[in-house]
Amino acid sequence: AVRPETDAARYPASGGREVYAAANPSGDLVLTDRCAQPVLTRVRWTDDAGLLLEGTCPPASAGPVELVLRHSGHQEENTVAVEREAEAFRASVAPGAVASLAGVLPLAEGRWFPFLRERGETDPDRYLPLRLAPQLHAALPSHQEAGGRRFTLQRRFHDRLCLESGSVLAVRERGAYGQRRLREAYTAARGGALREAVLYASFDGRQYSDSPRAVHEELARRDTGAAHLWVVRDQQAAVPPGVRPVTLYSAEWYEALARSRWIVTNTHLPEWFERAEGQYVVQTWHGTPLKRVGRDLEGTRHADAAYMASMPRRSAQWSVLVSPNSFSTPVLRRAFGYTGEVLECGYPRNDLL
């Protein structure tokens, strides 16, 4: 058995390997012959809601290294610069403000595992996981609030560091019960007075992009006086000034679906959505259907009978379908079971061209 206060020890071996001596989950001493791996000796939150990581890593190569945060689900990656001196390394992460192609955003909801890798390496099998020295175990989990959500440092698989990004939804909005209550509130609000507002959604709130963005920019240029609301999923889209972000699945989102006079979307609205009297829904879709979509998936391995059966009911809630060209019009009508008005005018997103 190892005393709790005993530090881990590492002994260099040939070929980039090491013998690592530390306690296992049962508290017994284990000697491990392994590839040299980084070990964190200090982990702490900073005053500005940042995360400081310090540790040691025997140099496996002479090249520079970088820290990568990798999502356990969809494998998204974010890289962070690393300061290195001999075997010591240091990195600072701001989980509530990470640079991305969409701007500076919080880390998406879920578990993120940190690794060290040679700069430019893209093979995950060559990444080195960050492991916690035994003396750090007792200090976890620890929490920090930043960017409208809670971040939690915790251990996984005994000694792996894990950073969990929490939900942006309020506690009462989470889970099946909370969502059922909000849907009931949506149904009750749908018959009320409409607001002079436009609700935009691009790829289910994942982006500020595509034809909904083009429509917004033109309406903003015309200064119509309508309020502009943009659906944002998990804080993963940055919207410009003058646009109010509306969190997907929040109470505000349900209320906006029920009471916004105009809705502009490029994907399907929820199956339970029902257009209110006086509401106008513009379906721009998002491409020329050279692949199979909607009901045209019938007979393929991707076919979903319930999804295909819902197409006519969903499309009946559209006031108009924007078609990019004469080829797409009959395909979209057939694929979605749509019988309403089609505006075959090209996509707003392409007008710039």
Side-chain angles (χ1 to χ4, degrees), residues 199-216 229-234 236-239 243 246 248 253 263-269 282-286 349:
L199 178 66
Y200 307 88
S202 180
F203 300 107
D204 300 318
R206 292 179 176 87
Q207 299 175 10
Y208 172 68
S209 67
D210 207 57
S211 290
R213 171 176 175 168
V215 173
H216 162 253
L229 314 176
W230 196 279
V231 179
V232 175
R233 185 188 188 101
D234 191 35
Q236 295 306 292
V239 298
V243 178
V246 176
L248 184 68
W253 175 71
I263 297 175
V264 181
T265 181
N266 70 348
T267 52
H268 288 296
L269 294 171
V282 179
Q283 173 60 263
T284 68
W285 205 239
H286 52 265
R349 71 181 187 187

